[in-house]
Amino acid sequence: MSLLQHRVPRDAFAELSRFRTELYACLTGRRDALFELSDALLCTDGPVKTLVELSLAPEHRRGHGALYGGLNCGNLDVARLRTALAGLPLPRTAEGRLVLAVDVSNWLRPDANTSPERLFCHTYGRGRGSAQMIPGWPYSFVAALEPGRTSWTAVLDVLRLRPWDDAIAVTAVQVREVFQRLYVAGQWQIGDPPVLIVVDAGYDVTRLAFLLADLPVELLGRMRSDRVLFFPPPPQPAGKRGRKPKHGAEFTFEDPATHPVPSITTVTDTTHYGRATVRAWDRLHPLLTRRSAWTDHLAELPVIEGTVIRLQVDHLRGDRNPRPIWLWWSATDATAADVDRLWQAFLRRFDLEHTFRMFKQTLGWTTPKLREPAAADRWTWLVIAAHTQLRLARPLAEDLRRPWERPARQGRLTPARVRRGFRRLHGKAPQPTSAPKLSTAGPGRPIGMKNKHRAQERTVGKQGQPDLTATITIGRAG
């Protein structure tokens, strides 16, 4: 698919109808209950406070028992749904480049002692610079970013991190599979600009760049301000014997005395941050040691060179003296246009935070008290499918604003405002579900009968991968 074909607008209602039909086909177990749950999530007025209240929506024609039965015992073809998301229209920059953001959002479950596969999730405390570690399920999201200031993103994939996972290795596999699906769907072809992957400071961006070096992607990530990188070694004098050094002069982020004259300097006047001064240094690499992630690396440790970018703005909201932001780009020989493109793309990464806020505060992603991680995964994919339908309905929705709200400009409706008017589109969209059958509630546990099958309490934190062979042997013996 050429860049010209990417710019051709498609029929928005046809795209929405096709996705709803494909979503129903992806639900392979208790599909009617799960599909109507997704519709209730889209058409309910206001934020989702409790999961069971969604069964009272007119779009959910089944009882609350079917709602929980679908989440706990239903089935979803995740591979097919991922393929469907990759084939939808995606936002691009003016030059036709795809920009993907990768980040982790936590579903905190501190009181779920019987829920397995929980990890200690990093959360920010109330005080400045304070942090807490709370048990929960961390989910890794991959989303396509829009070029302008917006709260919209196109979520392409989600993966729950398990206690035995190497986060960076799992993220590399996740990004690789997302790129392969985009390539098969025709979203990227040979000759197109490389896909830009943007990550925050919680990722080892240099190792991620090493694991994805064979793909036509560029990595851009933030680094902590206490990092120390190295320049390439100077040319060895003629006639000197011995091994050539691998590292040159030090470059300490917090020590300006170690900063030589930057290769590129740009100054940009912004609307919200004042003057943005950007400096870039070429061909800087970290010092790798055989520990942690590189313990099992049998070959010689690589030298991963990139471009360091220092972004300094005049002011931020609530901060008149902000600290500089340090970025590392996996390519070298950057131009002034590349540097400006990169730091502006990094600022767009924070649009994913708006998506997380929409998931949690409006769509109620972390509201259900589900015990099993599989049920949590099904609910997460339903939330993503609902958000995708809102994005596809964006050109079709009306601005049903409150009397105290300002009118939104054309094409600038927020996800919450699109959801407010989705019920009007729901009646025209395809309804593949069948009519519910008449049934009565089961008798349940007799009064006075205690639960004889108490759930097992689970440990929290990093663990080794479970021995599936032993589990199968015990099951056969039983």
Side-chain angles (χ1 to χ4, degrees), residues 380-397:
T380 301
W381 279 110
L382 287 182
V383 172
I384 292 176
H387 184 267
T388 302
Q389 294 183 61
L390 293 179
R391 181 171 64 88
L392 296 177
R394 182 180 175 186
L396 308 171

Side-chain angles (χ1 to χ4, degrees), residues 37-327:
L37 175 59
S38 177
D39 280 351
L41 182 62
L42 286 168
C43 299
T44 301
D45 295 332
V48 177
K49 298 297 183 181
T50 59
L51 186 63
V52 70
E53 287 184 353
L54 293 177
S55 63
L56 302 178
E59 291 74 17
H60 193 278
R61 300 177 294 173
R62 289 158 174 81
H64 62 276
L67 183 149
Y68 283 103
L71 288 179
N72 292 323
C73 305
N75 198 5
L76 174 66
D77 189 349
V78 176
R80 184 170 181 175
L81 182 55
R82 284 169 169 160
T83 303
L85 292 174
L88 296 176
L90 299 179
R92 297 170 181 270
T93 62
E95 58 179 339
R97 186 190 301 269
L98 282 172
V99 180
L100 305 182
V102 183
D103 202 359
V104 172
S105 185
N106 301 317
W107 184 340
L108 302 181
R109 298 302 313 277
D111 300 327
N113 297 328
T114 59
S115 294
E117 301 181 8
R118 291 183 302 160
L119 286 166
F120 286 106
C121 304
H122 179 276
T123 57
Y124 290 99
R126 293 183 178 271
R128 182 180 179 88
S130 62
Q132 300 175 355
M133 302 300 291
I134 300 178
W137 291 315
Y139 281 84
S140 175
F141 290 83
V142 179
L145 302 179
E146 294 192 2
R149 294 181 62 246
T150 177
S151 57
W152 288 95
T153 61
V155 181
L156 298 175
D157 190 44
V158 67
L159 186 68
R160 179 172 49 83
L161 301 179
R162 298 169 296 180
W164 53 85
D165 285 338
D166 181 352
I168 300 299
V170 170
T171 302
V173 174
Q174 183 184 21
V175 172
R176 182 181 298 275
E177 292 178 350
V178 168
F179 177 82
Q180 291 174 351
R181 289 193 293 270
L182 293 176
Y183 179 76
V184 172
Q187 302 281 10
W188 187 92
Q189 288 188 350
I190 298 175
D192 292 347
V195 179
L196 181 62
I197 312 294
V198 186
V199 298
D200 205 4
Y203 291 86
D204 187 351
V205 62
T206 55
R207 184 183 173 214
L208 201 57
F210 174 77
L211 295 175
L212 300 175
D214 59 324
L215 294 182
V217 299
E218 299 173 353
L219 273 295
L220 176 67
R222 183 159 65 110
M223 284 188 165
R224 299 183 308 179
S225 59
D226 60 350
R227 292 293 301 270
V228 178
L229 301 185
F230 293 86
F231 284 100
Q236 197 167 9
K240 183 178 180 181
R241 299 181 178 180
R243 184 178 181 181
K244 182 181 178 180
K246 295 177 60 176
H247 313 289
E250 289 188 0
F251 185 91
T252 305
F253 288 179
E254 295 180 333
D255 187 6
T258 62
H259 301 173
V261 178
S263 56
I264 297 173
T265 301
T266 63
V267 180
T268 306
D269 292 328
T270 64
T271 304
H272 297 275
Y273 310 113
R275 178 170 297 180
T277 304
V278 184
R279 297 181 176 89
W281 293 267
D282 196 22
R283 299 189 63 191
L284 281 161
H285 64 270
L287 175 63
L288 303 181
T289 57
R290 291 194 181 277
R291 59 183 180 182
S292 185
W294 300 97
T295 303
D296 299 330
H297 189 79
L298 302 179
E300 184 179 2
L301 293 178
V303 175
I304 309 172
E305 291 186 340
T307 303
V308 170
I309 301 173
R310 181 185 186 273
L311 171 61
Q312 178 69 63
V313 298
D314 288 343
H315 56 81
L316 295 174
R317 181 176 296 179
D319 190 356
R320 291 294 178 181
N321 189 21
R323 301 180 62 182
I325 295 178
W326 293 93
L327 306 176

